[in-house]
Amino acid sequence: MWKVMRVWRCGGVRWAHRQRPSNELLSELSFDQHYKIRSNIGLLIQDYASKPIAPLDYEYFLQYRPPLTRKEEYMLTIKTINLLLSLTCKRLNAIQRLPYNAVINPHLERTNSLYLKSLQTLLPVAYPYELHNPPKIQAKFTELLDDHEDAIVVLAKGLQEIRTCYPQFKISQFLNFHLKERITMKLLVTHYLSLTAQNNDESDGNTIGILQRDLPIVQLVKHVSDYVNDICFVKFNTQRTPVLVYPPAQDIAFTCIPPILEYIMTEVFKNAFEAQIAHGKEHVPIEVNLLKPDDDELYIRIRDHGGGITPEVEALMFDYSYSTRSQQPSDDEDSTDLPGEQINNVSGMGFGLPMCKTYLELFGGKMDIQSLPGWGTDVYIKHKGPSKAALLAKR
């Protein structure tokens, strides 16, 4: 079907510029023209993929603060687009390097098409004029988020289907880089959208993009534990499991990215609650210890009495696609949204704890697990936040 793209008047005559469908145009190209186009796209992907990218850190999120000047907004837009282009091409390059029997998998082919569409969204930005059009850039970034809404689920299904013909250690290696760079893309986009939104509204100074100053951690623990308790009550029809937080008399304020910490605690609480319910210990309190030795460090220990885990299972806890569940739950049972994601069917795919570990390590934190079979499990979380000097630095 022909599409009318633009209509204007010239000398009293009404003209219409029509764009022909891409599939019709491609069908008229010769083999040499097809090959030249594909080669140029491939060279473009390789060029962007070869560009080095510094690890994402809190200094990046603090370099611009609301209200932004026009120059700051312009520079933030350039940096964000360039980083997204490089990360998108790195993922495309990695997918296309997979063996043939992996690339032709329908779910991996869909993942590849998704990143090609992201490239198509980012490349047409007209420098420098469109960089001064925040609504248009925001629309492109919002489209990017919407396109990647179910990307992890699609990728996970594809990798599960090729496990019999592709070594597990190579799948884990691929996922380590893929999810780390995907998380980076999500954080870049959500930070940009949050920061530009704060630039248009009156900011209270407690939020800088996706960063929140002095987040009350005890309140967050209670919020997450209540949420997981509600899920378990609906799913297992058991009594609510008590949660004890130490120290109980005071809250701890910590500057961080709230959705990340909320996601990590949700995953750990889900495992702890379900383990205690499975062993008939839902009446025994789950213990949470909080410690903030410095402004930029937060330590959390979550202890359950769910019978512990065997050394064989403990060794696999951070492996992608390893899950102790025999089947995936339905959408209305057990679901956890990833930060920046609007999906609820990742549960049971073995991505929970590996994703937690990836989020923590991205900012210099870590996660350790100690378990005593027949007794219970301790999960130790070290979460790093921005330094006091970085927070107080002048613009």
Side-chain angles (χ1 to χ4, degrees):
M1 180 180 292
W2 295 72
K3 296 181 179 179
V4 177
M5 298 298 295
R6 189 181 300 115
V7 177
W8 68 95
R9 292 184 178 275
C10 181
V13 180
R14 185 178 175 88
W15 295 86
H17 172 68
R18 300 174 183 269
Q19 183 183 30
R20 297 169 64 185
S22 58
N23 59 344
E24 187 176 315
L25 292 171
L26 288 172
S27 66
E28 297 177 0
L29 296 177
S30 66
F31 173 82
D32 289 340
Q33 290 172 319
H34 266 287
Y35 181 79
K36 186 176 181 180
I37 291 173
R38 291 177 66 89
S39 298
N40 287 335
I41 294 174
L43 290 172
L44 176 72
I45 291 172
Q46 291 178 21
D47 180 53
Y48 272 108
S50 66
K51 297 181 184 298
I53 298 178
L56 200 63
D57 55 21
Y58 287 113
E59 290 187 5
Y60 175 87
F61 295 116
L62 291 169
Q63 61 182 324
Y64 302 117
R65 311 182 187 197
L68 302 176
T69 64
R70 294 199 61 174
K71 181 180 179 181
E72 288 174 334
E73 191 167 11
Y74 177 80
M75 293 304 298
L76 174 65
T77 304
I78 290 179
K79 289 181 179 180
T80 305
I81 290 177
N82 284 336
L83 286 171
L84 289 173
L85 280 170
S86 293
L87 289 165
T88 298
C89 290
K90 285 179 183 293
R91 289 300 87 223
L92 282 168
N93 197 40
I95 293 170
Q96 292 165 7
R97 287 174 179 268
L98 291 172
Y100 178 74
N101 58 352
V103 175
I104 62 173
N105 177 276
H107 292 104
L108 293 179
E109 187 178 2
R110 182 178 163 191
T111 301
N112 185 66
S113 299
L114 176 63
Y115 280 97
L116 283 173
K117 186 176 186 299
S118 299
L119 191 63
Q120 188 179 9
T121 300
L122 294 168
L123 279 177
V125 176
Y127 286 74
Y129 303 108
E130 283 191 3
L131 298 176
H132 292 288
N133 188 349
K136 190 164 187 177
I137 300 299
Q138 290 164 13
K140 285 182 175 290
F141 286 173
T142 302
E143 179 185 351
L144 205 66
L145 287 177
D146 293 340
D147 288 342
H148 284 261
E149 187 175 4
D150 293 329
I152 289 183
V153 177
V154 174
L155 177 66
K157 289 179 179 177
L159 293 174
Q160 285 178 345
E161 291 172 356
I162 67 168
R163 280 187 298 178
T164 57
C165 60
Y166 197 53
Q168 180 61 39
F169 80 93
K170 288 191 175 182
I171 290 179
S172 297
Q173 188 179 50
F174 174 84
L175 275 170
N176 279 332
F177 286 104
H178 184 93
L179 293 179
K180 184 176 180 180
E181 290 180 352
R182 175 175 162 71
I183 287 170
T184 302
M185 291 179 68
K186 282 286 183 181
L187 292 175
L188 287 169
V189 172
T190 52
H191 179 68
Y192 178 91
L193 293 174
S194 298
L195 199 55
T196 51
Q198 294 160 12
N199 195 43
N200 297 328
D201 301 330
E202 291 186 6
S203 176
D204 58 4
N206 288 329
T207 53
I208 304 171
I210 55 175
L211 271 173
Q212 181 172 337
R213 293 176 181 264
D214 300 328
L215 179 71
I217 302 301
V218 172
Q219 289 185 30
L220 181 63
V221 170
K222 292 180 178 178
H223 167 75
V224 173
S225 61
D226 286 344
Y227 168 70
V228 177
N229 246 324
D230 291 340
I231 291 177
C232 292
F233 175 77
V234 173
K235 182 178 181 180
F236 301 108
N237 194 25
T238 59
Q239 70 178 66
R240 297 174 65 85
T241 300
V243 176
L244 300 180
V245 183
Y246 302 99
Q250 64 182 49
D251 206 338
I252 292 177
F254 187 70
T255 300
C256 62
I257 302 172
I260 290 181
L261 189 54
E262 183 175 353
Y263 171 74
I264 292 168
M265 287 197 295
T266 301
E267 285 296 321
V268 176
F269 272 132
K270 282 198 312 180
N271 293 333
F273 278 59
E274 292 186 12
Q276 292 203 171
I277 292 171
H279 287 78
K281 297 288 186 69
E282 59 269 22
H283 61 283
V284 179
I286 290 174
E287 302 170 25
V288 180
N289 292 82
L290 303 173
L291 178 64
K292 182 185 172 186
D294 208 343
D295 290 322
D296 62 346
E297 285 187 351
L298 175 66
Y299 291 87
I300 304 172
R301 186 194 71 177
I302 300 177
R303 167 173 289 179
D304 69 63
H305 303 273
I309 52 181
T310 64
E312 294 78 16
V313 173
E314 187 175 348
L316 299 172
M317 292 300 291
F318 294 114
D319 285 359
Y320 291 103
S321 297
Y322 174 78
S323 177
T324 57
R325 299 179 188 177
S326 58
Q327 62 182 7
Q328 295 179 28
S330 62
D331 289 349
D332 60 346
E333 286 181 341
D334 185 8
S335 60
T336 303
D337 288 351
L338 301 178
E341 307 274 357
Q342 297 299 320
I343 58 178
N344 57 7
N345 47 0
V346 173
S347 297
M349 290 186 172
F351 276 57
L353 289 180
M355 287 289 292
C356 293
K357 189 170 181 284
T358 301
Y359 272 114
L360 288 168
E361 292 177 349
L362 191 64
F363 295 101
K366 61 186 295 188
M367 173 183 282
D368 291 313
I369 295 176
Q370 290 184 348
S371 188
L372 182 62
W375 182 257
T377 302
D378 286 353
V379 178
Y380 295 89
I381 299 168
K382 176 187 176 183
H383 193 30
K384 293 285 290 183
S387 66
K388 188 175 182 180
L391 284 170
L392 297 177
K394 295 182 179 180
R395 294 173 56 178

